[in-house]
Amino acid sequence: MADPLIGVRRVGIAGLGRYVPEKILSNADLEKFVDTSDEWIVQRTGIKERRIAAKDQYTSTLAVAAAQQALDDAGMKGEEIELVICATVTGDQPFPATACRVGMEIGAKNAGGFDLAAACSGFVFATQVASNMIASGQYSKILVCGAEILSRILDYKDRNTCVLFGDGAGAAIFTTLDIAQRGEYLGGSISMKGGAEDVLAQPGGGSRHPASLDSIEQRLHFMKMGGTKVFRFAVRVFAGLVRDVIEKYGKDEIGVIIPHQVNQRIIESAMDQAGLPMDMVFCNINKYGNTSAASVAIALREAYDAGRLEKGKLVVMPAFGAGMSWGHTLLRW
Ligand SMILES: CC(C)(COP(=O)(O)OP(=O)(O)OC[C@H]1O[C@@H](n2cnc3c(N)ncnc32)[C@H](O)[C@@H]1OP(=O)(O)O)[C@@H](O)C(=O)NCCC(=O)NCCS
């Protein structure tokens, strides 16, 4: 784990936002498409419902709504933002970056921007990129979004995947700690192990399997997943990341753990392995399912609204996903 930043600018969070589409897809609704049941889904995952974007909403639409709430929370205007980072694997299109449209729609006239593709780890990785760019002095106000419309890449004939995921967006504004006055960035980690395209991926549409009649017939543009492998990996890395924080800071310093909202059973198993009680975790998986890069961002804003971010205590955000990739961001609220 990286040391707290020393001899550079201290960084904090000035504003948080989240947005989820209005349409709810319940487990009972899914029973109409695939051979599944509310009982199976709740027992195996803890998910009761998820949100689905409307036809005229794009990933940028969701990100802009979350970003607007984060700007209001920070008391900032879009034009003050200097850089937009949008973590997503379901951008408006492969290019240009979704960040470009987000920046334009919030009025960030002078900002730079780019997308960051690290699947479910995306927001947690992007928060570290943003924090270090502010710590270095290169930028002072960065908008980080985690936004996904996973429903557009889900195969609603595949019960192994379609029940697990949903749509949504979250956003955070990073700035220097003297302005933000809360959410000090203490460090984090970014890890990966390649070669897992058969474990969790959207195989079609890139240079490996460009779009063709064949790729469509083989349904390669939909998400594919080997659930059991992901389950074991997620429990192991999540528990390991939390144990590292405990070793360095002590259990009592932790105020709340806001993990990637992947599956209630994965979260419970990892907390058990880390030797921590479930009441230290913030969970909203029952309402939204897994929203990939948006999940930690949405949960962070909801934990804030629920009064779960305790002044002076650590906020631990572990995430993991396709790649395989995993890492965490550590804040002191
Ligand atoms: C997918 C997952 C919920 C399956 O749970 P599980 O306890 O491993 O499931 P089991 O092994 O007991 O059961 C698998 C069986 O359930 C079936 N099944 C899968 N999805 C189902 C569904 N939605 N409804 C009913 N049955 C389903 C499978 O076809 C399989 O049937 P079979 O044994 O006849 O082949 C679990 O592996 C998981 O959550 N993995 C992580 C996935 C994830 O979160 N990915 C994103 C990571 S970022």
Side-chain angles (χ1 to χ4, degrees):
M1 192 192 311
D3 285 317
L5 298 163
I6 293 164
V8 290
R9 299 201 298 177
R10 293 169 74 184
V11 179
I13 291 186
L16 292 170
R18 44 70 90 194
Y19 172 80
V20 291
E22 274 176 28
K23 187 183 168 190
I24 294 174
L25 185 69
S26 69
N27 292 345
D29 295 329
L30 280 164
E31 287 175 10
K32 294 172 201 152
F33 309 132
V34 282
D35 181 14
T36 191
S37 66
D38 175 55
E39 194 193 352
W40 192 97
I41 301 171
V42 172
Q43 213 175 63
R44 299 297 212 287
T45 71
I47 301 166
K48 295 195 170 125
E49 57 190 40
R50 66 288 292 143
R51 299 301 177 102
I52 304 293
K55 278 202 176 107
D56 62 352
Q57 289 184 311
Y58 311 114
T59 298
S60 59
T61 324
L62 277 49
V64 166
Q68 211 59 65
Q69 191 183 35
L71 283 168
D72 292 346
D73 187 34
M76 280 184 200
K77 292 204 166 61
E79 64 197 35
E80 294 176 60
I81 297 296
E82 298 161 349
L83 188 73
V84 178
I85 308 177
C86 187
T88 186
V89 289
T90 54
D92 290 12
Q93 59 282 307
F95 72 89
T98 299
C100 297
R101 177 153 289 269
V102 174
M104 184 190 80
E105 290 198 13
I106 63 163
K109 288 181 227 148
N110 303 311
F114 56 89
D115 289 358
L116 188 152
C120 303
S121 308
F123 177 75
V124 161
F125 289 4
T127 57
Q128 293 171 63
V129 174
S131 297
N132 284 292
M133 289 178 106
I134 291 168
S136 74
Q138 187 177 358
Y139 291 102
S140 293
K141 290 177 183 169
I142 302 183
L143 166 68
V144 176
C145 302
E148 305 279 13
I149 300 192
L150 292 161
S151 60
R152 306 246 158 100
I153 63 159
L154 286 175
D155 184 350
Y156 285 96
K157 291 185 173 165
D158 176 11
R159 66 179 184 175
N160 289 298
T161 50
C162 73
V163 304
L164 300 176
F165 299 91
D167 304 337
I173 292 167
F174 286 82
T175 183
T176 49
L177 188 63
D178 56 332
I179 297 173
Q181 296 287 322
R182 58 186 172 169
E184 181 173 13
Y185 172 72
L186 298 183
S189 62
I190 294 178
S191 305
M192 68 167 188
K193 187 172 193 296
E197 292 84 4
D198 62 332
V199 179
L200 184 54
Q202 180 189 12
S207 57
R208 193 180 281 260
H209 298 291
S212 64
L213 281 178
D214 191 47
S215 72
I216 291 169
E217 269 164 24
Q218 290 188 51
R219 307 180 83 72
L220 296 185
H221 299 274
F222 292 123
M223 185 194 299
K224 310 279 179 212
M225 188 185 72
T228 311
K229 279 188 192 163
V230 180
F231 195 101
R232 289 199 204 110
F233 156 80
V235 172
R236 181 170 49 79
V237 298
F238 174 0
L241 291 166
V242 172
R243 275 198 297 262
D244 286 351
V245 173
I246 295 173
E247 209 169 283
K248 187 153 185 177
Y249 292 89
K251 204 188 272 195
D252 295 342
E253 285 296 295
I254 300 177
V256 66
I257 297 172
I258 305 178
H260 170 41
Q261 305 290 310
V262 59
N263 172 323
Q264 187 71 21
R265 276 196 310 150
I266 290 177
I267 296 172
E268 285 171 6
S269 304
M271 288 298 283
D272 186 49
Q273 280 196 17
L276 294 180
M278 272 303 283
D279 62 8
M280 288 181 76
V281 186
F282 184 82
C283 281
N284 59 15
I285 179 92
N286 57 328
K287 295 189 287 181
Y288 308 129
N290 178 345
T291 57
S292 189
S295 99
V296 175
I298 295 172
L300 183 59
R301 170 70 205 211
E302 292 196 353
Y304 170 58
D305 289 338
R308 292 289 305 272
L309 307 181
E310 288 175 62
K311 189 141 189 62
K313 291 278 190 181
L314 298 179
V315 180
V316 189
M317 300 187 289
F320 29 84
M324 307 307 284
S325 64
W326 67 99
H328 76 293
T329 290
L330 189 62
L331 306 173
R332 191 182 292 283
W333 203 256

